[in-house]
Amino acid sequence: MTYSEFIRKTSNELTNIYCESEANSISKMLAQDLFKADNTSLIIQNSIILDPDIKEKYWNYISLLKRGVPVQYVLGYSFFYGYRFNIENGVLIPRQETEELVDWIIKDHKKEESLSILEVGTGSGIIAIILAMELLKPKIMGIDISEKAIEVTNSNIQKFKLKNISVEKQDLFDFKSNIMFDIIVSNPPYVREFEKRLMESLVLEHEPHQALFVNDDNPLVYYEAILKLAQINLCSGGVGYFEINESLGNELESMITNLGFKMDALRRDINNKPRMIRFYK
Ligand code: GLN
């Protein structure tokens, strides 16, 4: 079969749950995964062969995708900031807006050496690990309440063979450490319960609610706890970065100021939504 026949056949299998363009891009991801080659090399091959092993894997993928399982959980990985991360059911799938947050931090600090950095709520470890790889000899600590997050982050730390990063199971509301951090970063849960109705079922049915949702009446609960932690464990002159709910920027700015920090910048993402905050102590 030719590559384009494979893509057509696979897209057809998926059109009940995905629109055409999504079905097409998922089919390409499957092709790259199954044939261990990029799309360009697959196109120039005259034919691709589905041997029995690949066939079994293929139908397994298709049946999971038809049940609505996100492709990143089906394949067990996702790309973030140009790197391939292990991703499993139980941790959030990386989002593009988070890439923008990471990029901001790297641009701000790429010339500084040996920074001590805390990430609160590491999930799969994407933020902490990119910072560990892109900054100059930083020392990074990640915390998360979820065992699964710790496990997936550790698998990614091993995958990239990193020595300058550790991850611990810790409750943010009971955080204890005698380390003083130069930078604290977090992408905590910030989607309000009432916003669930605006979300895709793919997210609602498969991604961890613990990493996404907050009560409608106290949506900044995690930010407040992180700021209180920063009152103790962030160096004076240290900097904090948050990914935020686009509707809660102003409220969060007031909270940052009221808790004694200097609000610095509210940044918009590529879709022009206010999505990231930087503050100083
Ligand atoms: N941006 C994510 C979403 O819309 C939410 C991430 C979070 O709650 N921290 O699904």
Side-chain angles (χ1 to χ4, degrees):
M1 143 170 49
T2 64
Y3 175 69
S4 58
E5 279 163 358
F6 174 88
I7 298 296
R8 208 173 320 122
K9 175 181 147 76
T10 309
S11 300
N12 284 341
E13 294 286 347
L14 302 175
T15 39
N16 284 343
I17 23 171
Y18 288 101
C19 69
E20 212 176 303
S21 64
E22 281 172 325
N24 199 273
S25 69
I26 291 173
S27 304
K28 288 180 179 163
M29 288 166 80
L30 295 196
Q32 297 197 25
D33 181 272
L34 291 166
F35 305 112
K36 309 258 174 292
D38 60 44
N39 287 305
T40 322
S41 358
L42 290 168
I43 291 166
I44 53 179
Q45 276 179 32
N46 278 335
S47 67
I48 54 174
I49 294 152
L50 279 138
D51 68 31
D53 277 3
I54 294 186
K55 222 175 216 166
E56 192 187 327
K57 215 168 163 188
Y58 175 80
W59 287 113
N60 197 6
Y61 286 170
I62 295 290
S63 93
L64 290 168
L65 288 164
K66 281 188 167 164
R67 295 213 300 266
V69 180
V71 65
Q72 294 86 349
Y73 293 149
V74 172
L75 297 177
Y77 55 78
S78 179
F79 290 89
F80 183 79
Y81 211 77
Y83 293 90
R84 191 175 122 168
F85 282 86
N86 298 330
I87 297 294
E88 282 177 39
N89 201 331
V91 294
L92 215 59
I93 295 167
R95 307 286 205 270
Q96 192 179 5
E97 49 267 31
T98 310
E99 259 173 355
E100 294 186 59
L101 179 76
V102 169
D103 195 56
W104 192 12
I105 304 174
I106 292 168
K107 296 223 161 90
D108 279 355
H109 302 283
K110 60 173 183 266
K111 297 208 176 87
E112 292 161 74
E113 240 182 73
S114 310
L115 290 170
S116 139
I117 302 176
L118 172 69
E119 190 199 354
V120 179
T122 44
S124 57
I126 49 170
I127 299 179
I129 288 173
I130 295 293
L131 295 178
M133 295 195 284
E134 299 284 331
L135 296 176
L136 300 169
K137 296 190 223 142
K139 278 191 73 66
I140 304 199
M141 176 177 174
I143 60 164
D144 206 296
I145 190 78
S146 146
E147 299 272 2
K148 190 71 188 178
I150 304 296
E151 186 189 312
V152 176
T153 298
N154 272 325
S155 82
N156 281 315
I157 292 174
Q158 277 166 23
K159 178 176 153 79
F160 295 111
K161 302 187 172 43
L162 298 169
K163 301 256 182 286
N164 56 342
I165 168 167
S166 65
V167 62
E168 284 175 20
K169 182 174 154 102
Q170 276 228 39
D171 184 352
L172 159 65
F173 295 92
D174 192 26
F175 179 79
K176 284 189 189 63
S177 169
N178 44 24
I179 303 173
M180 293 300 287
F181 297 98
D182 300 300
I183 299 176
I184 294 179
V185 51
S186 187
N187 171 21
Y190 59 66
V191 182
R192 290 166 290 183
E193 291 285 337
F194 81 86
E195 291 170 317
K196 273 185 179 166
R197 64 185 162 79
L198 307 169
M199 295 177 89
E200 288 181 52
S201 64
L202 211 64
V203 175
L204 283 176
E205 283 164 27
H206 297 278
E207 295 204 65
H209 286 205
Q210 190 186 27
L212 284 169
F213 296 110
V214 284
N215 278 337
D216 292 344
D217 47 9
N218 195 8
L220 299 181
V221 58
Y222 293 103
Y223 296 95
E224 186 178 16
I226 297 164
L227 289 164
K228 290 196 167 146
L229 178 166
Q231 286 175 334
I232 301 167
N233 289 92
L234 184 62
C235 299
S236 137
V239 52
Y241 294 87
F242 287 140
E243 183 178 310
I244 67 163
N245 182 320
E246 67 194 69
S247 314
L248 296 170
N250 293 342
E251 267 178 65
L252 184 53
E253 282 192 5
S254 314
M255 178 183 272
I256 287 171
T257 313
N258 291 338
L259 288 172
F261 297 90
K262 286 191 277 296
M263 177 57 210
D264 179 55
L266 175 60
R267 224 191 222 214
R268 288 174 184 270
D269 65 14
I270 196 168
N271 301 312
N272 204 28
K273 294 183 170 156
R275 178 69 76 188
M276 293 156 266
I277 271 185
R278 181 174 64 197
F279 63 92
Y280 290 97
K281 184 163 170 186

